[in-house]
Amino acid sequence: MIVGSQKPIDEIWDMVKEFKRVIVFGCNTCVAICHAGGSKEAETIASMLKMRSSNEGVDMDVSSTSVMRHCEPEYFDEVIDELRSYDLVLSTACGVGVNFLSERIGNIPVYPGINTSFFGAVPEAGVFEELCAGCGDCILHMTGGICPVARCSKTLMNGPCGGTNEGKCEIGKDVDCAWYLIVQRMKDLGTIEKLSEVIPPRSWSTSRDGGPRRVSVEHIREYEESAEQKTEAGGSK
Amino acid sequence: MAEDNTTALNEPYRPYGADIKETRPYSPCRAACPAHTDVQAYVGLIAQGKYTEAFEVITSVNPIASVCSMICHHPCEQACRRCGVDEPLAVRHLKRFAIERSQDYRRAKRKLTKKTRGKSIGVIGSGPSGLTAANDLASLGYDVTIYERHPVLGGMLASAIPPYRLPREMLNEDIDDVISKGINVKTGFEIGRDRKLEDLMKDHDGIVIAIGLSQSRSLNIPGVEGDGVLLAIPFLEDVAFDRKPDLGKKVLVIGGGNVAMDVARTARRMGVKDVSMVCLESAEEMPAWKWEIDEAIEEGVTIDNRWGPKAVKRENGKVQGLEVVKVNSVFDDKGRFNPSFDDKTTKIIEADTIIITIGQMSNMSFLKDGPVKLDERGLIQWDRDTHMSSASNVFVAGEVVTGPGSAIAAVASGHRAAMALHLYLQGEEIKGNLPEHEKDKIDQLPGKVVDLLDREQRQEIKHLPPEVRCDTFTHFEIGYDEAEALKEAGRCRGCGGGAVVDPNRCMACLTCLRVCPYGAPKVFAVSEIRPEYCQACGLCAPECPGQAISMVSYDVNEIRSSMPDIIGKRDPKRSDPVIAAFLCTHHTGVGGFNVPGNIRTIPVHCISRVDVLDVLSAFSNGADGVAVIRCADGSCKYKGVAKRVSSRIGRARELLSMLGIENERTEMLTASSTNGNRYSSVCTEFSEKIKELGLRSS
Ligand SMILES: Cc1cc2nc3c(=O)[nH]c(=O)nc-3n(C[C@H](O)[C@H](O)[C@H](O)COP(=O)(O)OP(=O)(O)OC[C@H]3O[C@@H](n4cnc5c(N)ncnc54)[C@H](O)[C@@H]3O)c2cc1C
Ligand code: SF4
Ligand code: SF4
Ligand code: SF4
């Protein structure tokens, strides 16, 4: 899931202080799970903003609401009119949500209430770990299921650098060396000889270097399109 | 307490969550009560010092609550989930306590109901079932008349149950509540003798027959006719109406049920030192409640088990004793009552008076050949689903049709009959629309949860010592004082009042599953909180990032909405800081808790409920300092609260410091529940500290 973290209130205040009517808009999926931007945190930020505005003597009307997800348009339906009655939407969804809502809401600014950090797992309550970088060309079958793109500080593809030190990365004692983990894991799996295969230079066009990415699941799209045609044919639209 | 509630006198009080509860399995105590009294709700209210609210919950389903607080056989206690931990809650004694504390309130509340229906109802018999039916029908707007053959109302409660168990003042409080609705009363009026049923049916639009089982059964053995042999009910009636018969020196009671115990113990109180009982059953098989037997034995009554009556021995007509024959067995292999005797083994038990207490029946002579048909056994023909007799506007309630049971079961039957008659007069379908007998209930506590709960001794009720109580008909139980009642109410686990998840808000994040100390949540597509595990502590609700969790028995948002009123206006020229103190209701609601005016106490079910947002809200409403006061280890009835709440306070401090509010202004403090003063001194000490730190200007 997508992991986010809250912004300091000073930073948020600088963003919102010019606006009279502000709504903090929470997303109840990924960022709720990581306790950054769900309905409860949206209410907390709203409450902080109310206190801040009254401290500053600024007359500001702040409220909060939330929906299940900000990344699919149907979820907005119930609240979009309400959102439009504000001067600013402070979204506590991930950046996807901020972009997505900005495109749909009309002439009302949507600002980010949190920082979108990465996508990761929850090894224990309250801890979130980045395990995948979403590079678009997965090679985990060659690296024992451990991703060198996300977890090697230098994104090395064919073994560790000289900075590997007793399982740790040279950038810091608390950072595991991804290649150390890969070697251990592949030994355990009995697949270590696979590592002698050289991973050819990668095409980064599937990653950030190829511009904004888009995945289209054609069989689902086809279904959607035919459903659209049907309703059009039935004249119910 | 009474004056606090005077404004609410006209609106019936509904406990929080009453509607949700109807859709969920009942707590076992509530399911076991024939009238489905919401025990969990009222015990919870008592624990918070809300005695009149508790009274409202009790009386909303039970018009003879005072009576039940004295004599109910309390099936709720037998079903209580605490039985799996140590001992059941003392529900009946708590009921008595709440009722005693609400006496002024209930008297002030009595008022006529409007007769809006333009229809009249005659109720025959004024026992629990008749009183209940009359009460309900009057509340629904009917013009109700009760016909009672005895000089007073109350049925067996007034005429048979001895006053050492049921003081008549208590019964009369209940009767006054009912009658004050504007019910017409005709006592000393026997249907059949003073007016025929057929005529009564012309006087009214509907009739409820609630005549109970007011005749004793006798034995068909030689010598039974004549002086010196009495029947239980006439004997108890004679005592109740002050026509005390002469019993001689030795009394023998035949029978082993609860009525037999009452008869024997009544004889003891009439000055007879030598009272014995004889019954077919062994000590274990006796139908009387164990506590009744123990109390009788304490009072010096002796019991001869496994003997059957054979003949009454008389000399010159005067009773000498009872010849009895040894019992081999009482029940056959199929468990049916079918006694067999060893005819060779007999003996004579000496007695001056023999009282036969082997069961009761109704006097149906007034129904013979009338519109209400009897079956081949002489019992009224009726439809259990509609409470209707063979005559369409004559309904039946109570023991006359259900057979012997308890007062509260007769109440439940009265409710059903009243509702049935009401539906009938409205022309609506009766079947399927009456209060149900059986309700789904929460399972007993899982072993895993039992292991986590502290053992806490039940607060035993004191009795007058046997030497004293046998000389008098005064009530022998001494009720709880406030400290005892609060302690006992605090033992309740609040079954069924716990967490529920709104599936539209849950994103299956697992937080509740990780937080719950009792393993109640299971998360599939969404979280499902299992009521048999949940202890209603409330720890999970504030942690849920989707705000999907609410509590059945209390409002998790109440704190924030009531905060502005509690904190009130802040005086800019104040010299003392305004302190918001979150305290567990189980300690602030009760008498003797006092803090200086600058400390605004915010009662919470448990501090487990206090959230980051609540602390923020206290400051944003103007508090100079916020104290969350936890109960010392061992006195909190839940697990793991302190640790969680202190991390929430850490988070609140972090956020508040971003707004320039110092960490010292938010504190978690500890007090002990056994000492109410400690709570207030902890608050005052904190207030002093904040004073030194200075008052907030913004
Ligand atoms: C000695 C004794 C002890 C008991 N102890 C307990 C106890 O501890 N706990 C408990 O829960 N239950 C106890 N019970 C049972 C309880 O009293 C009954 O369950 C309850 O009273 C039944 O209520 P009812 O309304 O059906 O009938 P009843 O209470 O019997 O009332 C029927 C009324 O109808 C009147 N009546 C009859 N015929 C006519 C007529 N023709 N015209 C006018 N009026 C008429 C009778 O006089 C009587 O007042 C006890 C019963 C007895 C006898
Ligand atoms: S613990 Fe309380 S709610 Fe639970 S069964 Fe016992 S009396 Fe009822
Ligand atoms: S904490 Fe809330 S959102 Fe998370 S699983 Fe439990 S109920 Fe669902
Ligand atoms: S945390 Fe408390 S209220 Fe929540 S499910 Fe567990 S026992 Fe119930």
Side-chain angles (χ1 to χ4, degrees):
Chain A
M1 69 183 198
I2 294 173
V3 177
S5 55
Q6 282 183 354
K7 284 179 179 292
I9 195 71
D10 283 346
E11 187 185 332
I12 297 180
W13 178 249
D14 280 342
M15 274 190 246
V16 307
K17 64 184 175 211
E18 308 299 332
F19 296 90
K20 285 266 158 298
R21 278 171 52 75
V22 176
I23 185 158
V24 187
F25 185 32
C27 176
N28 271 333
T29 306
C30 310
V31 293
I33 297 173
C34 61
H35 304 273
S39 81
K40 184 189 157 185
E41 294 308 323
E43 194 181 333
T44 308
I45 293 171
S47 171
M48 297 278 289
L49 285 177
K50 278 182 211 161
M51 289 169 79
R52 180 68 184 254
S53 58
S54 97
N55 283 356
E56 306 270 341
V58 173
D59 185 19
M60 185 188 280
D61 175 6
V62 190
S63 50
S64 67
T65 189
S66 64
V67 294
M68 203 55 171
R69 281 207 275 287
H70 285 205
C71 48
E72 293 177 81
E74 287 87 345
Y75 285 106
F76 294 145
D77 288 352
E78 266 173 59
V79 292
I80 193 94
D81 288 336
E82 191 198 343
L83 297 180
R84 287 183 178 131
S85 71
Y86 286 85
D87 303 331
L88 172 74
V89 177
L90 183 73
S91 163
T92 60
C94 65
V96 174
V98 176
N99 278 271
F100 201 59
L101 182 60
S102 290
E103 284 172 11
R104 279 164 180 77
I105 195 165
N107 276 340
I108 293 156
V110 182
Y111 286 0
I114 64 168
N115 293 323
T116 308
S117 310
F118 52 81
F119 32 92
V122 194
E124 58 188 279
V127 177
F128 305 90
E129 237 172 45
E130 180 171 26
L131 297 177
C132 167
C135 71
D137 186 12
C138 196
I139 50 146
L140 284 170
H141 57 298
M142 296 166 75
T143 58
I146 293 164
C147 176
V149 180
R151 298 170 71 182
C152 168
S153 309
K154 296 177 185 161
T155 314
L156 296 177
M157 285 293 133
N158 288 292
C161 68
T164 182
N165 184 10
E166 291 175 0
K168 297 292 168 191
C169 172
E170 67 179 349
I171 68 157
K173 284 200 288 295
D174 334 316
V175 182
D176 289 327
C177 167
W179 275 105
Y180 178 82
L181 296 177
I182 292 169
V183 170
Q184 290 303 323
R185 173 77 180 150
M186 292 182 76
K187 269 192 198 156
D188 292 347
L189 293 173
T191 53
I192 190 80
E193 75 286 352
K194 265 199 165 183
L195 276 187
S196 55
E197 283 172 42
V198 172
I199 301 178
R202 285 171 56 93
S203 154
W204 291 106
S205 63
T206 54
S207 182
R208 293 293 317 120
D209 301 6
R213 292 171 284 178
R214 186 179 168 98
V215 173
S216 174
V217 184
E218 290 306 326
H219 64 284
I220 302 285
R221 293 205 60 195
E222 265 163 33
Y223 163 80
E224 284 283 306
E225 276 162 17
S226 63
E228 218 166 84
Q229 275 161 12
K230 260 187 239 152
T231 45
E232 271 167 18
S236 64
K237 250 193 164 174
Chain B
M1 284 284 154
E3 58 274 22
D4 299 344
N5 288 290
T6 36
T7 50
L9 281 183
N10 295 326
E11 296 157 28
Y13 172 83
R14 298 264 291 156
Y16 186 82
D19 296 328
I20 312 173
K21 274 185 177 172
E22 292 309 316
T23 66
R24 298 173 54 85
Y26 278 7
S27 59
C29 48
R30 185 182 191 191
C33 174
H36 301 313
T37 309
D38 192 348
V39 179
Q40 180 271 327
Y42 84 75
V43 171
L45 289 164
I46 294 174
Q48 301 167 41
K50 297 182 179 167
Y51 307 135
T52 54
E53 287 88 338
F55 172 85
E56 286 288 339
V57 172
I58 298 166
T59 51
S60 66
V61 290
N62 185 357
I64 55 158
S66 288
V67 167
C68 287
S69 79
M70 294 283 159
I71 60 129
C72 189
H73 68 303
H74 47 68
C76 52
E77 295 189 19
Q78 283 84 301
C80 175
R81 300 212 305 161
R82 250 213 110 96
C83 293
V85 183
D86 37 39
E87 289 167 286
L89 256 276
V91 179
R92 176 167 74 80
H93 301 320
L94 287 170
K95 172 180 283 156
R96 173 174 170 189
F97 175 79
I99 289 172
E100 284 174 350
R101 290 294 165 127
S102 307
Q103 197 170 51
D104 295 340
Y105 170 81
R106 85 188 285 184
R107 288 179 183 168
K109 215 186 120 166
R110 286 177 193 147
K111 69 170 202 280
L112 290 174
T113 53
K114 289 210 181 71
K115 294 171 183 163
T116 52
R117 306 251 171 206
K119 287 193 169 135
S120 86
I121 311 284
V123 176
I124 311 173
S126 66
S129 64
L131 279 178
T132 303
N135 176 70
D136 291 4
L137 289 161
S139 302
L140 285 166
Y142 294 97
D143 184 5
V144 179
T145 305
I146 298 182
Y147 301 91
E148 169 57 58
R149 74 187 167 98
H150 279 310
V152 292
L153 299 181
M156 287 300 175
L157 312 174
S159 62
I161 300 184
Y164 68 88
R165 287 206 298 123
L166 176 59
R168 295 304 186 256
E169 313 83 77
M170 295 297 273
L171 169 61
N172 291 336
E173 290 288 348
D174 288 340
I175 291 177
D176 287 350
D177 282 356
V178 174
I179 297 309
S180 64
K181 298 195 163 149
I183 291 170
N184 315 303
V185 172
K186 287 204 163 23
T187 45
F189 196 103
E190 181 172 333
I191 303 305
R193 183 190 67 192
D194 299 311
R195 192 155 178 82
K196 291 224 288 277
L197 179 64
E198 289 85 331
D199 296 328
L200 201 70
M201 287 168 68
K202 289 183 200 125
D203 301 343
H204 298 288
D205 300 287
I207 303 284
V208 178
I209 298 181
I211 57 172
L213 303 167
S214 35
Q215 286 188 332
S216 279
R217 289 184 197 284
S218 187
L219 282 164
N220 189 11
I221 54 174
V224 82
E225 302 296 335
D227 288 348
V229 176
L230 308 177
L231 295 177
I233 299 299
F235 165 70
L236 290 170
E237 283 175 357
D238 282 348
V239 176
F241 299 131
D242 233 7
R243 304 178 295 237
K244 298 197 173 92
D246 180 14
L247 299 175
K249 288 205 163 48
K250 275 183 192 208
V251 170
L252 176 64
V253 178
I254 305 176
N258 290 314
V259 177
M261 295 299 151
D262 278 343
V263 168
R265 296 174 72 188
T266 297
R268 279 290 287 121
R269 283 163 176 77
M270 289 171 70
V272 181
K273 296 259 173 337
D274 187 345
V275 178
S276 58
M277 303 180 70
V278 62
C279 64
L280 301 173
E281 298 88 355
S282 68
E284 299 73 46
E285 289 165 337
M286 281 170 73
W289 295 110
K290 170 140 192 345
W291 61 85
E292 291 271 0
I293 301 173
D294 292 346
E295 285 163 15
I297 292 172
E298 267 175 36
E299 291 169 9
V301 174
T302 57
I303 305 175
D304 233 337
N305 292 102
R306 292 216 148 204
W307 293 96
K310 192 160 180 236
V312 175
K313 294 288 166 195
R314 293 177 183 268
E315 238 176 72
N316 305 324
K318 190 183 169 303
V319 169
Q320 301 297 310
L322 181 74
E323 185 181 7
V324 290
V325 50
K326 191 78 203 152
V327 171
N328 285 331
S329 66
V330 186
F331 302 98
D332 62 20
D333 351 328
K334 297 217 175 72
R336 281 177 307 213
F337 180 77
N338 187 10
S340 75
F341 300 96
D342 166 9
D343 289 326
K344 286 190 222 82
T345 319
T346 61
K347 70 173 181 177
I348 291 180
I349 306 174
E350 284 178 28
D352 300 318
T353 304
I354 294 171
I355 309 177
I356 302 175
T357 312
I358 57 156
Q360 283 140 246
M361 55 192 186
S362 305
N363 180 357
M364 313 267 205
S365 50
F366 74 105
L367 297 174
K368 282 249 162 60
D369 307 320
V372 172
K373 302 250 167 339
L374 305 180
D375 65 15
E376 62 284 358
R377 291 172 303 163
L379 304 178
I380 297 180
Q381 284 182 21
W382 70 303
D383 179 346
R384 280 165 195 277
D385 294 327
T386 62
H387 279 245
M388 211 189 258
S389 73
S390 56
S392 59
N393 61 343
V394 179
F395 288 71
V396 286
E399 295 194 340
V400 63
V401 285
T402 62
S406 62
I408 190 67
V411 165
S413 173
H415 283 311
R416 287 169 56 87
M419 181 51 72
L421 176 48
H422 170 60
L423 292 170
Y424 170 79
L425 292 174
Q426 299 276 102
E428 286 170 31
E429 177 74 26
I430 303 173
K431 197 170 171 178
N433 290 319
L434 301 183
E436 290 163 64
H437 291 298
E438 297 291 331
K439 284 286 195 175
D440 274 355
K441 58 171 188 281
I442 297 171
D443 286 343
Q444 289 301 310
L445 284 168
K448 270 191 243 159
V449 178
V450 170
D451 294 343
L452 290 169
L453 302 184
D454 294 330
R455 309 290 173 264
E456 281 170 73
Q457 224 187 350
R458 173 174 157 126
Q459 297 289 301
E460 283 310 335
I461 202 95
K462 296 177 201 72
H463 288 169
L464 290 177
E467 331 65 272
V468 179
R469 69 188 197 227
C470 286
D471 288 341
T472 136
F473 275 93
T474 48
H475 191 230
F476 72 106
E477 274 180 3
I478 303 160
Y480 283 145
D481 61 24
E482 189 171 35
E484 289 169 322
L486 290 170
K487 208 156 187 216
E488 184 60 24
R491 295 176 66 235
C492 176
R493 297 313 301 182
C495 313
V500 263
V501 172
D502 176 352
N504 294 319
R505 304 193 64 104
C506 172
M507 84 298 296
C509 73
L510 304 180
T511 301
C512 52
L513 180 141
R514 291 175 177 140
V515 165
C516 176
Y518 303 100
K522 274 252 169 211
V523 181
F524 304 101
V526 291
S527 169
E528 217 178 277
I529 294 180
R530 296 172 295 176
E532 67 276 22
Y533 285 75
C534 178
Q535 299 296 300
C537 69
L539 204 54
C540 54
E543 303 276 338
C544 172
Q547 298 179 310
I549 302 178
S550 56
M551 292 287 143
V552 173
S553 58
Y554 51 91
D555 182 353
V556 294
N557 293 316
E558 188 186 35
I559 317 176
R560 260 167 278 150
S561 46
S562 61
M563 194 90 72
D565 286 339
I566 292 177
I567 294 187
K569 276 254 169 330
R570 193 173 65 170
D571 176 3
K573 294 204 251 4
R574 69 199 180 282
S575 58
D576 286 318
V578 173
I579 304 293
F582 292 96
L583 294 129
C584 161
T585 31
H586 299 94
H587 304 105
T588 51
V590 303
F593 183 87
N594 260 320
V595 285
N598 67 312
I599 294 162
R600 314 287 154 82
T601 54
I602 303 163
V604 286
H605 175 83
C606 165
I607 59 145
S608 64
R609 280 283 314 104
V610 180
D611 184 19
V612 175
L613 270 163
D614 300 315
V615 175
L616 294 186
S617 164
F619 280 109
S620 84
N621 280 291
D624 293 299
V626 174
V628 179
I629 300 170
R630 77 178 190 98
C631 307
D633 287 334
S635 64
C636 173
K637 68 192 233 178
Y638 304 119
K639 293 267 172 263
V641 172
K643 201 166 156 264
R644 278 278 157 195
V645 177
S646 86
S647 46
R648 287 180 208 157
I649 296 207
R651 171 73 178 146
R653 284 176 161 183
E654 190 187 340
L655 292 174
L656 288 161
S657 67
M658 294 185 203
L659 296 168
I661 296 174
E662 305 90 324
N663 284 351
E664 296 75 15
R665 291 193 188 272
T666 314
E667 204 82 67
M668 180 157 93
L669 305 161
T670 306
S672 149
S673 70
T674 50
N675 188 345
N677 293 333
R678 184 66 195 134
Y679 282 86
S680 30
S681 60
V682 158
C683 295
T684 351
E685 284 160 27
F686 179 68
S687 165
E688 287 306 312
K689 257 186 58 188
I690 298 298
K691 202 169 174 178
E692 275 170 38
L693 198 66
L695 307 180
R696 280 172 67 212
S697 50
S698 53

